[in-house]
Amino acid sequence: MAVRIFLTIIFILVSIALTVIVLAQQGKDAGLGALGGAGDTYWSKNKSRSVEGKLVKFTKILAVCFILLAVILNLNF
């Protein structure tokens, strides 16, 4: 019973963190800059090293944790 309460608390924290991180990310729109080639900048080529790239990676990790916790919490143990 205590394990289920602990997992529920972790699930709620992961849910809140996932919501905040998704809302903090910028959209994928290139805007009108893509027409003139302005979308090909140093930052657009090296997004994995930027803060935005780290947010995307952390979002994926939190999403996997969210799904795993949801499945575990739905098991009757």
Side-chain angles (χ1 to χ4, degrees):
M1 187 67 178
V3 173
R4 189 165 181 84
I5 293 171
F6 176 73
L7 288 177
T8 304
I9 292 170
I10 297 298
F11 184 69
I12 292 169
L13 293 176
V14 167
S15 301
I16 293 169
L18 188 61
T19 303
V20 169
I21 288 180
V22 166
L23 290 175
Q25 292 179 15
Q26 293 181 357
K28 300 285 183 190
D29 295 343
L32 292 176
L35 293 175
D40 256 355
T41 63
Y42 173 78
W43 296 111
S44 68
K45 292 180 182 177
N46 294 314
K47 278 192 175 180
S48 63
R49 296 181 187 166
S50 68
V51 174
E52 200 171 323
K54 290 180 176 132
L55 280 177
V56 170
K57 184 185 287 187
F58 197 57
T59 302
K60 291 177 185 178
I61 293 169
L62 280 177
V64 169
C65 291
F66 178 84
I67 292 170
L68 288 175
L69 283 170
V71 169
I72 291 170
L73 286 171
N74 280 316
L75 296 175
N76 293 325
F77 62 93

